[in-house]
Structure formats: C-alpha cells, structure tokens
Amino acid sequence: MNTVTPRLRRPAADTAAGPLRVLLLHGLGGRPSVWQPLVERAGEELELWDAELPWQAMSGSEGWGLNPDPARFLVELVDERFDAVVAHSYAANLFTEATALGRIAPRPTVLVSPFYRSSVRDFDWSVISYYLNDFHRVFEEALEVGETGRFAKAHRDWMALRLRDQIGPYGWMRFFETYLRTPTLDLGAVRSPLLVLSGARDIAARPGDGRALAAAVPGARFELLPDCGHFPMVERPDRTARLVGDFLRAAAVPTHPSLELS
C-alpha cells in the first residue's frame, strides 16, 4: 500500500518565534474533516497539517486491515518535520504504542479519546462482546455529532452499519489487537510531554481509559470534558481548542520555518 502523504491544512501567521507545526491524526472510520472545528479555533501560531489515513471513512484504502502492522503508516508519516501531534481514538493508540516502542521520536502530544486498560485482567468476554457486537454504536455517535447530524436517525443508523462493514473483520481485529496490547506497553518509558482528553459520556473509549493512560506516563496531564462523548473536537470545540493550544504553546518548541500553501 502507498505511503500516507501529509498535507498542509492551514498555514500559521508570521511570528517572531516561528510556527508550531502540528499534525492532526483522525481515528478509525473518521476523516480529516473531523478536525475542522479545531482548525477554525486554533491559535494563529499553529501550522496545522493532516493526512488521509488508510482507515478513513468510506474512501479508505481497501485491505489496510490485512497489514499486521498498521502503526507503520504513522511511523513513516510522523518525522522530524512535525513539532507536535494531536491524535484521536485509534490513531491515538497506534501513535502511543509506536512512541512507547521507540519507533517514533518523542514530541509534545495530545491524545483525544484513547483506548487503554492497565491490566490484562481488564479484558474479559464481556469486553470483547461489547466492542464486537456494538461496534457500530461508535459510528452512530460520530454521525450524530458531525455534519451528518442533519440526517434522519434511520439514515444515520444505516450509514453506521455501512461504516462498520467497510472496516470489516480484519480492520476490527487490528483495532482490538491494539487495544489488547495496551496493558503490555512500557508507558513509563514515554518521554513526550502529554495531554490526554476524554469525554465523560464516551461510550467507546471509557473516560477511565484516558485517566489511567495519563497516570501511567510520567508528567502527563489528564482533562475530562463533561457532557461530551467520543469526539471532543466536534462536541466541545472551544474548550478542546483552548486546552490543545495552551498545552502546545507551553510544551512545544518551533523548529521549522512556515510553509506557504501552493
């Protein structure tokens, strides 16, 4: 499969210190457009990039789930060009694992709605049943809060099933394998400045997942967004943009000149 290519979403304003180059990574069944509310509210000093990842909704790369190492797409994508990363859901997990294993160099990171369990005993048959049989519910939530929220519920539910079927058994296996590995990660070795954001009403990645992940990474900070589900950047864009911006301004150091849109 082809290597993922980053694209400049929004240039930064000219500043004396230079721009902070930030890469935005969408989750499973998502699209780069999920970041638009954040892009519209982000500080002008942030140079924002995104990428169409193989697991994106509807137009993703067929067969990406057959690859036993989906993290390689991020390993190839996230290089020294980027000062910081903001990753959502499944991409947050892949990025965390790659960082913990030393496959991606440390840099300020924001994880939005990550999946995490601290013990292998946290995974029992009820957990597997929930994430397998109710997998479509995550997409129902996404379709409700996004631009598709104007559609009738019956149509959104149909779309959610289509998304589930597009990801398919292999894609689901790649997701759940990544989740199952989270208790085995040496998060104490992660040296990236880290902010973890979770929604209090998240039915996919429990808010306790994000809290436990942040507790396992030295110096990490956790923020719980009340009255919010799996998509804080869409549901609470003002609060999310403020948290992300404040964190990156304090943690990230600009290392690159700004790029012009072609």
Side-chain angles (χ1 to χ4, degrees), residues 72-246:
R72 80 160 180 86
F73 295 106
L74 301 188
V75 173
E76 295 170 357
L77 175 66
V78 183
D79 57 25
E80 66 278 358
R81 289 173 291 180
F82 300 106
D83 302 310
V85 167
V86 181
H88 179 238
S89 192
Y90 179 56
N93 277 88
L94 291 178
F95 185 82
T96 300
E97 181 172 0
T99 303
L101 294 174
R103 300 178 67 188
I104 294 178
R107 74 204 65 212
T109 301
V110 180
L111 303 179
V112 183
S113 307
F115 297 85
Y116 179 74
R117 304 274 171 132
S118 60
S119 170
V120 295
R121 291 186 295 274
D122 290 336
F123 290 102
D124 56 21
W125 293 112
S126 67
V127 174
I128 297 173
S129 176
Y130 176 79
Y131 283 99
L132 179 62
N133 296 314
D134 291 332
F135 196 45
H136 60 285
R137 293 183 59 200
V138 180
F139 306 121
E140 288 177 357
E141 180 181 351
L143 294 165
E144 181 179 354
V145 303
E147 58 188 14
T148 52
R150 66 184 187 277
F151 296 157
K153 184 178 184 305
H155 185 60
R156 294 199 309 268
D157 291 348
W158 173 82
M159 292 177 67
L161 293 175
R162 285 288 306 276
L163 278 170
R164 179 202 63 185
D165 293 345
Q166 179 210 351
I167 290 167
Y170 286 98
W172 183 87
M173 284 294 295
R174 297 292 86 81
F175 154 73
F176 204 68
E177 287 169 350
T178 303
Y179 198 4
L180 285 171
R181 287 194 298 268
T182 56
T184 71
L185 299 179
D186 181 13
L187 295 183
V190 173
R191 292 295 176 259
S192 300
L194 179 64
L195 170 65
V196 180
L197 304 180
S198 292
R201 296 188 293 102
D202 194 338
I203 65 170
R206 307 173 311 167
D209 285 27
R211 188 184 300 276
L213 192 159
V217 175
R221 173 183 160 198
F222 175 73
E223 289 283 346
L224 181 67
L225 283 72
D227 195 27
C228 184
H230 193 59
F231 298 87
M233 60 285 211
V234 177
E235 299 171 72
R236 296 292 177 267
D238 292 321
R239 173 68 171 156
T240 302
R242 186 163 56 251
L243 287 168
V244 170
D246 290 347

